[in-house]
Amino acid sequence: MNKDFKGRYELSHAGLAMAVMGYNRASYVIDKNMKVVLFLDSIKRYMVFVKPYWKAIIITIIIGLLKFGIPLMIPLVMKYVIDDIILVEGMSQDEKTSILLTVMGALLFVFIVLRPPIEYYRQYFAQWIGSKILYDIREQLFNHIQKLSLRFYSNRKVGEIISRVIHDVEQTKNFVITGLMNIWLDTATIIIAIIIMFNLNVWLTFVAISMFPLYGFSIKYFYSRLRHLTRVRSQALADVQAHLHERVQGMSVIRSFALEDYEEEQFAKRNGKFLSKALEQTKWNAKTHAVVNTITDVAPLFVILASGYLVIQESLELGAMTAFVMYMERLYSPLRRLVNSSTTLTQSIASMDRVFEFIDEKYDIKDEPNARELAKARGEVKFENVTFSYEQDEKPVLKDLNLTINQGETVAFVGMSGGGKSTLISLIPRFYDVTSGRILLDGTDIRHYKVRSLRDKIGMVLQDTVLFSDSVKTNILMGNPDASEEEVILAAKAANAHGFIMNLPNGYDTEVGERGVKLSGGQKQRIAIARVFLKNPPVLIFDEATSALDLESEHYIQEALEILAKDRTTFIVAHRLSTITHADRIVVIENGEIVETGNHDQLISQNGSYKKLFEVQQLN
């Protein structure tokens, strides 16, 4: 290798190394600045919830200043007792005793009579403000939860959502109590103590605060990392909670398949991951406390050394030294509390990040700016060139589908599983929006209606009936919360449910358990149908409403459904073809496309897909 080439080679590599170093440094700065921006953004957004209570916060801080300010009198009193009573020459013992008793009587009055109510109201107002803010946040989160699309819930675990609403929101309360109150009170205590110490001795005060820069550097160094570890720990805890929630709900499956040992291993993995993250955070937190507490413990030793030397040199009175050493405790105790507060705030802000990350989830289904109320619906539904995919990069589930359903018509959708039947009917109430094309209700694109008013005109009975862990009556009232008790009973009778309800231990007031666990499948379905009777909508959707029921339950429910469907536009997704032979029209869907349409007799005569499905079921 010649010298010229070698020089260029080394130069190019040096340049590359410098470029890489510069890039890494720039990346570090960008990453650091981004973290600061996100940190400030979370606090700024949280302050929106705090703003309505700022007057109460100021009052609480003022009360807190009184609470923390009163103990600052004690070192000055101690100085006075030593220098102006005990060590004073020419004063009799009786005079000294009298003055001492007077001073102590005044202090006892302050600490026994004045300070307790101050402490009470400070604690009460602080907790009251924090609880009110959490109430407001959870209320917004619940409203947010109700607006998120089914696509969101299909990709999220229920337990993780609950963790955000309960655990993470609760953690943010410490930001109010610690960040907006205690930190300011501790800071005010430190400032007041320093002012008093300067008045006692300037040079000793400089010795006392000489460790502040090192304290500040250690806080900055440790807490940037601690915030990240706290966020990771919170996510690991949410994963444990989500897994636990699913397994509790599916306990019958675990028992029936004897999966206890396997599930114990699965839970241990997630619990172990949380333990690992928790210990990592705990380790870093312990390092923080070890370093910071060492700094705050060493500082008073320097003061004792310096003040002791000044007393020996007779440049400082003994009472002043005693007061100064006592003020060191008043100075560094708030500093230690600030360390704990920093840890608490780090956890709060990490939880805050997770709360706002959840709030920032976008709504797939939104009202258009000029969306109008659907006051009344006739029930004519038209699908025009409807194509739909659950995700943009996925294969379409429905492909260029066209269909018109007339007012009052009963249309059944049949076909093999996975053909797109349930997907099609889920587009009508806008659980999802079409990828292309449009759906018209009474000649108007359903996206032009307000979503809630559209869904208010649609009644649904699904295969997987969801009942809430409340009374039978409350579950039926979901159809119309303002209905009277008489209307509830009439709806139950129309749904063939009144008879079995009256045989329950407490009739309509019987608690059904979580998801209606105390009722049979047929009983749950009849309550769901009673809900729809009470709602009285012009459009009905039955999605596999009887497929999982025994013949007797199916008979009762089929009878109720036929009464309910009278003079209403009705969509039926059916697996059991014998239940839809009465339909005005039957639509056969395969691979997201309509392949046949007609009534039962017409489709049988066509010798197509419908006839094959029907004959297979008849043979079974």
Side-chain angles (χ1 to χ4, degrees):
M1 183 182 293
N2 61 52
K3 292 183 179 180
D4 182 55
F5 179 81
K6 183 179 179 182
R8 289 198 304 271
Y9 177 83
E10 290 175 345
L11 183 62
S12 64
H13 274 64
L16 178 62
M18 291 177 67
V20 170
M21 290 173 63
Y23 173 79
N24 288 338
R25 184 176 179 183
S27 299
Y28 171 77
V29 171
I30 291 170
D31 183 57
K32 183 179 179 182
N33 291 339
M34 183 62 70
K35 287 180 179 179
V36 172
V37 170
L38 293 174
F39 173 83
L40 295 175
D41 182 61
S42 292
I43 293 177
K44 182 180 178 181
R45 295 178 66 180
Y46 197 84
M47 292 303 292
V48 173
F49 294 99
V50 174
K51 189 176 180 181
Y53 306 101
W54 67 270
K55 290 181 181 178
I57 290 174
I58 290 174
I59 292 171
T60 306
I61 291 174
I62 292 171
I63 295 172
L65 287 173
L66 292 174
K67 184 255 183 184
F68 283 100
I70 289 173
L72 292 176
M73 299 165 50
I74 294 179
L76 290 177
V77 172
M78 193 67 181
K79 175 183 181 302
Y80 176 77
V81 168
I82 293 173
D83 291 340
D84 298 323
I85 299 177
I86 296 175
L87 298 180
V88 172
E89 296 180 359
M91 186 184 296
S92 67
Q93 289 184 349
D94 290 340
E95 287 177 314
K96 291 181 179 181
T97 302
S98 176
I99 295 171
L100 180 62
L101 290 174
T102 301
V103 171
M104 295 312 298
L107 278 179
L108 285 172
F109 175 80
V110 170
F111 278 91
I112 294 176
V113 178
L114 297 181
R115 198 167 184 268
I118 290 173
E119 175 65 21
Y120 169 81
Y121 283 111
R122 192 195 80 84
Q123 289 288 345
Y124 175 79
F125 283 132
Q127 294 296 329
W128 180 87
I129 293 165
S131 298
K132 290 286 287 183
I133 290 170
L134 296 200
Y135 171 86
D136 294 342
I137 294 173
R138 287 200 178 106
E139 188 170 46
Q140 178 171 325
L141 281 175
F142 186 74
N143 292 335
H144 179 62
I145 284 171
Q146 295 189 101
K147 294 176 183 177
L148 290 169
S149 69
L150 295 184
R151 180 181 281 111
F152 169 82
Y153 289 107
S154 66
N155 296 320
R156 297 294 190 284
K157 293 182 178 180
V158 174
E160 183 177 348
I161 296 171
I162 293 172
S163 177
R164 303 253 179 146
V165 178
I166 302 300
H167 173 74
D168 286 320
V169 171
E170 190 67 31
Q171 285 291 320
T172 68
K173 183 179 181 180
N174 293 322
F175 175 76
V176 180
I177 296 173
T178 301
L180 298 181
M181 296 181 199
N182 291 355
I183 282 182
W184 294 110
L185 293 174
D186 285 331
T187 303
T189 302
I190 291 169
I191 292 171
I192 294 170
I194 290 174
I195 291 171
I196 296 173
M197 290 164 73
F198 266 117
N199 285 322
L200 289 175
N201 191 290
V202 174
W203 292 110
L204 276 181
T205 305
F206 280 121
V207 173
I209 64 175
S210 61
M211 300 295 284
F212 275 22
L214 187 57
Y215 171 86
F217 172 79
S218 61
I219 290 292
K220 182 180 178 182
Y221 174 77
F222 282 104
Y223 282 96
S224 59
R225 171 70 173 161
L226 189 60
R227 183 184 176 211
H228 169 72
L229 293 176
T230 302
R231 185 186 174 101
V232 171
R233 175 186 176 277
S234 296
Q235 181 59 50
L237 179 61
D239 291 341
V240 172
Q241 187 166 337
H243 182 81
L244 181 61
H245 184 273
E246 281 188 336
R247 267 47 187 183
V248 169
Q249 281 194 323
M251 190 56 67
S252 59
V253 176
I254 294 172
R255 293 284 176 82
S256 62
F257 284 92
L259 294 172
E260 289 87 349
D261 292 341
Y262 171 78
E263 285 300 331
E264 187 175 339
E265 291 177 7
Q266 296 302 308
F267 182 79
K269 287 180 182 177
R270 288 160 178 82
N271 201 25
K273 181 181 178 182
F274 168 68
L275 176 62
S276 173
K277 302 302 180 184
L279 290 178
E280 191 176 352
Q281 189 238 18
T282 300
K283 182 179 179 181
W284 196 257
N285 195 30
K287 287 180 181 178
T288 305
H289 281 272
V291 172
V292 173
N293 285 341
T294 298
I295 294 170
T296 57
D297 288 340
V298 167
L301 300 180
F302 293 135
V303 171
I304 292 172
L305 173 64
S307 61
Y309 176 78
L310 292 175
V311 170
I312 292 171
Q313 297 296 318
E314 297 183 355
S315 299
L316 185 71
E317 294 177 327
L318 181 61
M321 174 188 173
T322 305
F324 214 94
V325 173
M326 291 180 70
Y327 271 120
M328 286 300 293
E329 181 61 27
R330 299 297 188 276
L331 179 64
Y332 278 93
S333 285
L335 277 177
R336 292 189 191 98
R337 285 198 299 269
L338 284 176
V339 174
N340 295 326
S341 296
S342 299
T343 304
T344 303
L345 278 179
T346 300
Q347 294 171 344
S348 296
I349 293 169
S351 293
M352 213 181 283
D353 292 340
R354 285 167 49 78
V355 168
F356 289 126
E357 182 182 59
F358 182 54
I359 288 177
D360 289 339
E361 288 289 346
K362 303 298 182 185
Y363 302 138
D364 290 339
I365 309 299
K366 294 186 288 188
D367 286 333
E368 292 182 343
N370 298 318
R372 64 178 187 266
E373 201 79 22
L374 177 58
K376 189 176 181 181
R378 296 191 310 275
E380 180 186 293
V381 179
K382 188 174 184 180
F383 297 85
E384 288 187 352
N385 306 114
V386 169
T387 297
F388 174 76
S389 300
Y390 283 101
E391 301 293 342
Q392 289 183 352
D393 55 348
E394 288 184 356
K395 183 180 177 182
V397 180
L398 300 173
K399 307 164 189 174
D400 198 30
L401 190 144
N402 290 278
L403 184 66
T404 299
I405 295 92
N406 300 316
Q407 177 184 351
E409 189 177 11
T410 296
V411 178
F413 297 92
V414 300
M416 299 296 289
S417 296
K421 306 182 297 296
S422 295
T423 300
L424 178 65
I425 62 168
S426 69
L427 300 177
I428 301 170
R430 289 189 69 193
F431 291 157
Y432 304 93
D433 271 339
V434 297
T435 303
S436 64
R438 61 179 185 162
I439 300 173
L440 308 177
L441 175 61
D442 298 337
T444 301
D445 191 323
I446 59 174
R447 289 171 292 194
H448 297 338
Y449 296 123
K450 291 184 178 179
V451 176
R452 289 184 63 180
S453 68
L454 171 67
R455 292 174 183 168
D456 189 50
K457 303 300 180 292
I458 300 171
M460 301 188 73
V461 180
L462 309 177
Q463 178 182 0
D464 184 17
T465 301
V466 175
L467 298 183
F468 297 97
S469 56
D470 215 317
S471 67
V472 171
K473 178 182 176 182
T474 301
N475 274 284
I476 295 176
L477 279 171
M478 292 290 176
N480 180 8
D482 299 323
S484 65
E485 187 170 349
E486 183 181 355
E487 289 172 322
V488 169
I489 293 172
L490 287 174
K493 287 180 177 178
N496 282 330
H498 180 72
F500 86 78
I501 292 173
M502 293 308 295
N503 288 326
L504 295 174
N506 297 310
Y508 282 84
D509 294 321
T510 302
E511 301 281 329
V512 301
E514 188 173 4
R515 298 181 67 86
V517 68
K518 295 180 182 179
L519 303 178
S520 69
Q523 290 172 334
K524 289 194 288 185
Q525 285 291 56
R526 279 179 270 176
I527 289 177
I529 294 169
R531 272 199 300 227
V532 180
F533 267 110
L534 199 61
K535 186 176 184 180
N536 194 29
V539 179
L540 297 174
I541 295 175
F542 303 142
D543 188 1
E544 304 277 12
T546 63
S547 63
L549 304 178
D550 58 80
L551 292 177
E552 183 180 3
S553 297
E554 182 183 357
H555 168 74
Y556 282 121
I557 290 171
Q558 196 65 38
E559 190 177 76
L561 292 179
E562 288 178 10
I563 296 170
L564 182 59
K566 189 177 181 181
D567 300 325
R568 305 175 201 267
T569 303
T570 305
F571 298 84
I572 303 173
V573 172
H575 173 72
R576 201 173 296 170
L577 301 187
S578 60
T579 64
I580 50 92
T581 55
H582 67 284
D584 299 318
R585 199 164 10 141
I586 298 170
V587 178
V588 183
I589 298 180
E590 292 180 359
N591 299 318
E593 298 178 312
I594 296 174
V595 295
E596 291 179 353
T597 181
N599 61 34
H600 173 73
D601 293 333
Q602 290 171 338
L603 293 177
I604 290 293
S605 66
Q606 288 179 18
N607 290 320
S609 298
Y610 178 80
K611 184 178 180 181
K612 291 178 183 177
L613 286 171
F614 190 80
E615 287 176 345
V616 168
Q617 290 193 10
Q618 292 299 305
L619 290 173
N620 293 335

